[in-house]
Amino acid sequence: KKVDEFFSAKVQFIEEVGYEPPQGALKQVFDSSKNDGNETSFKILSSRWKLSEDPTDRRDGLWVWGFFADPLYPFMLLQIETDRIPLPGDTTDAIKPLKLFAQLNHKREKDV
């Protein structure tokens, strides 16, 4: 077993104004004060996020409710491409670049 740890990345969601549904990219935030040599983060090369209806069930669509109230968009679709992740030990030992896809539950407060 070469990898037995979690990898993380601190990000900000940057919205591209003028799009419906809301969408944008991730901006990776690096915390230089916590660079203690035990880094378990990964570098994001590209990313996209988009609030969405259920992509597997688009029959009526929540957009109709947009005429009466803000759409709910119960899901966030997320795509992330990572850089190669070097592993401790041999200099050639690494996790190859990844393309990650996720469908996450999304909830928004009415007043926000």
Side-chain angles (χ1 to χ4, degrees), residues 2-107:
K2 291 188 175 189
V3 179
D4 190 22
E5 57 191 270
F6 288 101
F7 291 88
S8 63
K10 187 174 182 179
V11 299
Q12 291 178 329
F13 287 82
I14 307 300
E15 183 177 354
E16 294 175 357
V17 180
Y19 288 94
E20 190 62 33
Q23 57 192 283
L26 299 178
K27 177 182 176 186
Q28 191 163 13
V29 179
F30 296 97
D31 189 355
S32 60
S33 67
K34 293 188 178 183
N35 192 359
D36 57 4
N38 294 324
E39 192 65 39
T40 57
S41 67
F42 55 89
K43 184 176 179 186
I44 296 174
L45 296 179
S46 67
S47 63
R48 293 291 307 155
W49 64 267
K50 180 178 181 180
L51 298 186
S52 176
E53 302 170 8
D54 184 348
T56 61
D57 182 16
R58 295 194 182 263
R59 55 192 149 126
D60 293 328
L62 294 174
W63 66 270
V64 173
W65 294 105
F67 292 120
F68 308 105
D70 285 338
L72 299 176
Y73 301 122
F75 297 101
M76 175 184 286
L77 306 178
L78 182 62
Q79 298 177 334
I80 298 174
E81 291 188 36
T82 70
D83 199 358
R84 176 182 176 272
I85 304 170
L87 296 174
D90 188 356
T91 57
T92 61
D93 209 6
I95 298 173
K96 293 181 181 180
L98 302 169
K99 286 187 179 183
L100 306 169
F101 301 90
Q103 176 179 313
L104 310 167
N105 291 335
H106 173 265
K107 189 182 232 182

